[in-house]
Amino acid sequence: MTSPHPARKAARKTSSSTSKPSAAARKAPAKTTSKKKAPARRTTGPSGRPLINLALQGGGSHGAFTWGVLDRLLDDDGLDFAGLSGTSAGALNGAVLLTGYVKGHEGGGETQARKQAQIALHDFWRDVSQHGPLFSPLTIQSNGLIKNQFNFDQFPAYQWLNLFMRSFSPYEFNPLNLNPLQDVLRRHVDVDALHTGCQHCGVPLFVTATSVHTGQARVFTAEELTLDALMASACLPFVFQAVEIDGEPYWDGGYTGNPALYPLIYNTDLSDIMLVRINPLRRDDNPTRSIDIIDRLSEITFNASLIGEMRAISFVKKLLKDQKLDRGRYKDLHMHMVADDQGMLPYNASSKFNTDWAFLQELHRLGHRAAGQWLKAHREEVGHNSTFDIDAVFLAPGHQKA
């Protein structure tokens, strides 16, 4: 299910699957012109709330920022969701949300579904914090914690552990392939609920992982969604052994899509996509320690695929504006983004391993606040236009500060 490169086919009109359009679909009628009006698309859900697709980035424990965003968007004055695309922590957030939503929907309708999704996300992150020492033996306890000292790179033990993991593979230091995250997911993700959400509740979930053999992204959805698919999407190659699915090994999806936008473009009829971004595009400090250089290279790598997709979307939008493309075949996407670079800036890559409850709550607070500010400023623009400038944020030299 490897998808086409987004730079070649970004913003193609929605289809029923991630496969290429048929020959008939590719051929436009002879009388079609660039001035043809696009078909009407949904802009609101059954509740009357603005309807949007969500693209959720990964980033370790920084995914608690996304928890805060989702918690706010699930309020009564928030948004309805048409589709979810997530990678790594973003995929886990999406799976937990959909599990709670489907169970709540079965028990009490839309209002209960949203409340149950909020509860499910809270319980998941609380469970992660309680098993923090399993995820990272360096987890700091909240008692006596100095404010904002959530980064681990200040501790010699972290530097030693980082060096150790780059000297020995997980096949060597963890031959039994123990992964506590799998047990947490079993407690909070119902695979049957994911299938129901995709097929019957109208909220498909797309999970991206990276094929070790081909280096290409694979998008799992509907019946393909399993705990293994989620584990594959969050599989850091220096920490965990590759996850095998149908004989194919997979690593973290962040290398090829963090998150992948094209599943939402191809497989939903919606033109609005909201990116929940937790990885900084820009850092003004110049890394000089080897550990900082490696961490910054990792951030750049995990942002590269997203920047590529944004470049393709921007290009298509320009062609549509100049009436050089058929609006009946290409979407004029409305792009939205929730992020807080200033709030997240103090927390470097080492803090992505910190699962202390005080830290997760702080990230949740930042995400909740950022989503609230976005709703106040832009909620009524959903379905009508984009709310940020792709070129200024993603494509300007050096990137502008968001």
Side-chain angles (χ1 to χ4, degrees):
M1 193 172 171
T2 300
S3 301
H5 192 283
R8 294 196 297 268
K9 286 198 168 185
R12 287 298 302 267
K13 187 178 179 183
T14 181
S15 62
S16 60
S17 71
T18 53
S19 60
K20 294 181 179 179
S22 65
R26 290 197 298 269
K27 293 181 180 178
K31 295 183 180 180
T32 297
T33 68
S34 60
K35 295 183 180 180
K36 180 180 177 180
K37 292 184 179 180
R41 301 187 190 279
R42 294 183 300 159
T43 59
T44 59
S47 67
R49 281 182 287 263
L51 189 63
I52 207 162
N53 282 320
L54 285 177
L56 311 177
Q57 270 199 332
S61 65
H62 288 194
F65 176 91
T66 302
W67 162 36
V69 172
L70 297 175
D71 196 23
R72 179 64 184 87
L73 296 182
L74 283 163
D75 286 339
D76 289 339
D77 62 342
L79 302 172
D80 282 343
F81 310 140
L84 306 170
S85 178
T87 297
S88 195
L92 306 189
N93 272 316
V96 172
L97 182 155
L98 195 54
T99 294
Y101 181 88
V102 169
K103 290 185 175 181
H105 200 277
E106 292 172 347
E110 177 67 17
T111 299
Q112 183 59 34
R114 297 172 74 88
K115 290 181 179 179
Q116 189 60 44
Q118 290 175 313
I119 293 171
L121 285 164
H122 173 276
D123 292 348
F124 168 74
W125 284 102
R126 185 57 173 158
D127 198 358
V128 167
S129 75
Q130 290 172 340
H131 292 81
L134 295 177
F135 292 102
S136 170
L138 296 169
T139 295
I140 308 170
Q141 298 304 314
S142 58
N143 52 323
L145 186 67
I146 300 175
K147 186 177 181 180
N148 290 333
Q149 296 299 309
F150 291 115
N151 297 325
F152 281 160
D153 62 337
Q154 62 191 302
F155 300 112
Y158 173 79
Q159 298 180 38
W160 177 88
L161 185 61
N162 202 293
L163 177 62
F164 178 85
M165 287 184 171
R166 282 169 169 75
S167 300
F168 300 93
S169 82
Y171 296 87
E172 294 169 319
F173 68 75
N174 185 13
L176 297 179
N177 199 22
L178 302 177
N179 190 336
L181 179 60
Q182 193 168 43
D183 293 331
V184 175
L185 285 180
R186 284 197 183 101
R187 290 193 288 270
H188 297 276
V189 174
D190 184 333
V191 173
D192 290 335
L194 301 186
H195 300 165
T196 299
C198 290
Q199 296 173 352
H200 303 300
C201 288
V203 187
L205 172 64
F206 305 97
V207 172
T208 303
T210 302
S211 168
V212 177
H213 289 166
T214 68
Q216 298 294 314
R218 175 173 176 182
V219 178
F220 297 88
T221 191
E223 293 298 325
E224 294 179 324
L225 287 172
T226 62
L227 290 182
D228 280 345
L230 294 171
M231 293 295 296
S233 184
C235 179
L236 291 171
F238 286 109
V239 181
F240 304 115
Q241 295 182 24
V243 177
E244 286 200 9
I245 300 175
D246 299 328
E248 180 88 5
Y250 292 93
W251 282 336
D252 195 296
Y255 295 106
T256 50
N258 192 26
L261 304 180
Y262 57 87
L264 299 171
I265 298 171
Y266 298 152
N267 297 282
T268 74
D269 64 358
L270 210 62
S271 295
D272 287 78
I273 298 178
M274 172 182 281
L275 168 67
V276 181
R277 183 171 60 79
I278 58 179
N279 291 322
L281 293 168
R282 175 190 179 107
R283 285 193 184 273
D284 291 328
D285 57 319
N286 181 27
T288 55
R289 299 185 305 169
S290 61
I291 187 173
D292 295 330
I293 293 171
I294 292 172
D295 286 341
R296 183 55 183 150
L297 282 173
S298 179
E299 285 181 337
I300 292 171
T301 301
F302 272 51
N303 280 327
S305 58
L306 175 62
I307 292 173
E309 285 200 270
M310 287 295 185
R311 187 180 301 279
I313 290 170
S314 176
F315 181 61
V316 170
K317 286 177 71 68
K318 286 183 174 66
L319 293 178
L320 288 170
K321 183 179 180 181
D322 295 339
Q323 299 186 355
K324 294 180 179 179
L325 287 180
D326 178 7
R327 287 183 175 271
R329 298 181 65 207
Y330 292 84
K331 289 182 179 180
D332 188 3
L333 295 172
H334 302 145
M335 299 301 299
H336 314 277
M337 181 173 67
V338 175
D340 184 3
D341 282 2
Q342 288 301 112
M344 296 291 287
L345 194 60
Y347 311 124
N348 61 30
S350 70
S351 66
K352 293 180 180 181
F353 292 94
N354 187 350
T355 56
D356 180 74
W357 183 235
F359 183 48
L360 300 183
Q361 286 180 305
E362 170 63 12
L363 295 174
H364 172 276
R365 183 188 70 80
L366 291 174
H368 194 278
R369 182 184 68 183
Q373 292 173 342
W374 188 93
L375 287 170
K376 183 177 180 180
H378 302 299
R379 186 175 187 266
E380 301 307 316
E381 296 181 74
V382 175
H384 303 288
N385 51 260
S386 297
T387 55
F388 78 96
D389 186 336
I390 293 177
D391 290 3
V393 175
F394 285 91
L395 307 181
H399 303 298
Q400 291 187 356
K401 296 180 181 179

